[in-house]
Amino acid sequence: GAGTATSTGVTVPGRGYYVWTESLAAGADAAGVPWKAFQGDFGVATETSLSHGAIVGSTQTSRQTANGGMALSDTINIEKAFTGFKGTVTATLYGPLKPVTGTTCEAMGTEAWTKALEAGEVAPHGEAVVIEVEGTEDGNVTVTTPEVETGGYGCYSWGEVLTNDVTGEDDDTTIPGEEDENTLIVEPEMITQSSKMVALPGAKVYDTIQVSGIHDEEATMEATFWGV
């Protein structure tokens, strides 16, 4: 007769190819009808599974220009994390690192950040944040870190480590310096102009103040008129 059986589940211990084989010992049914021993072929395509690590796909910092003290978060898109995957993402904000041009972090790529880290010119800013990750049917997972407050002027950038909690291995690692992970902290600047360079006693004098470099913040400006 015919029948279908499903094996018990086996936990995959790590990355690589895995293949099933089957064997059946010779025997006979209740009516005494014998059957022959069977040994399945090794390496059948339909019996082969590939185990690979999840990967960090695209990442995006919450702001690419900000003022000192403003908080940043990191959105991380994880790929190939299928149902059954359990892991963690450890995200670290690094900085500040002095930009090459002074007005942008575009030239501060992964190579520049790697050299700066190796030379001790830059370090993690604040504590790393850890987020739990569970796999999905299509393997795509998106997480956003809690916000981390920035400090003084310079470039900041995120780096991530994706760890598989089952194997204990780091499936993927990114280093700071990716364009979408860089943030430039700028210092506000002022241009001021008195309404009169020469004034008679009793005349009113005003001050015009042009401020740049303030991003989505409210600031209080105090103007003081000094004289004899």
Side-chain angles (χ1 to χ4, degrees):
T4 300
T6 301
S7 72
T8 56
V10 178
T11 300
V12 177
R15 303 179 190 182
Y17 285 94
Y18 295 83
V19 63
W20 290 97
T21 59
E22 304 81 14
S23 61
L24 179 67
D29 62 18
V33 178
W35 66 73
K36 294 181 179 180
F38 171 80
Q39 178 63 53
D41 294 330
F42 184 82
V44 177
T46 55
E47 292 285 67
T48 302
S49 299
L50 171 62
S51 174
H52 52 68
I55 62 172
V56 176
S58 61
T59 53
Q60 179 67 62
T61 186
S62 56
R63 303 184 61 92
Q64 299 211 264
T65 307
N67 296 119
M70 294 181 69
L72 302 175
S73 62
D74 191 23
T75 298
I76 306 157
N77 296 309
I78 300 167
E79 302 173 3
K80 300 182 180 179
F82 296 100
T83 302
F85 174 87
K86 291 184 180 297
T88 55
V89 173
T90 303
T92 304
L93 181 64
Y94 295 86
L97 183 62
K98 184 179 180 181
V100 173
T101 64
T103 58
T104 177
C105 295
E106 290 182 2
M108 307 299 292
T110 54
E111 183 177 350
W113 277 90
T114 299
K115 289 181 178 179
L117 286 167
E118 291 174 347
E121 298 172 356
V122 67
H125 179 79
E127 296 184 0
V129 293
V130 180
I131 303 174
E132 295 184 356
V133 177
E134 291 193 5
T136 61
E137 185 175 349
D138 65 3
N140 298 318
V141 183
T142 299
V143 295
T144 299
T145 69
E147 291 187 330
V148 176
E149 191 174 290
T150 60
Y153 168 76
C155 292
Y156 292 74
S157 192
W158 291 93
E160 301 89 11
V161 178
L162 175 60
T163 303
N164 185 319
D165 289 348
V166 176
T167 65
E169 297 178 347
D170 293 338
D171 278 355
D172 200 8
T173 301
T174 68
I175 57 177
E178 295 289 347
E179 183 178 351
D180 290 338
E181 291 285 65
N182 290 342
T183 300
L184 176 63
I185 298 299
V186 298
E187 297 174 330
E189 296 181 351
M190 293 188 299
I191 299 175
T192 60
Q193 178 64 60
S194 176
S195 61
K196 294 179 181 295
M197 302 300 293
V198 178
L200 297 173
K204 287 188 176 181
V205 180
Y206 303 92
D207 194 22
T208 299
I209 306 164
Q210 181 180 342
V211 181
S212 61
I214 295 181
H215 296 269
D216 297 342
E217 287 190 328
E218 291 185 358
T220 300
M221 179 70 64
E222 292 185 2
T224 304
F225 191 51
W226 299 81
V228 177

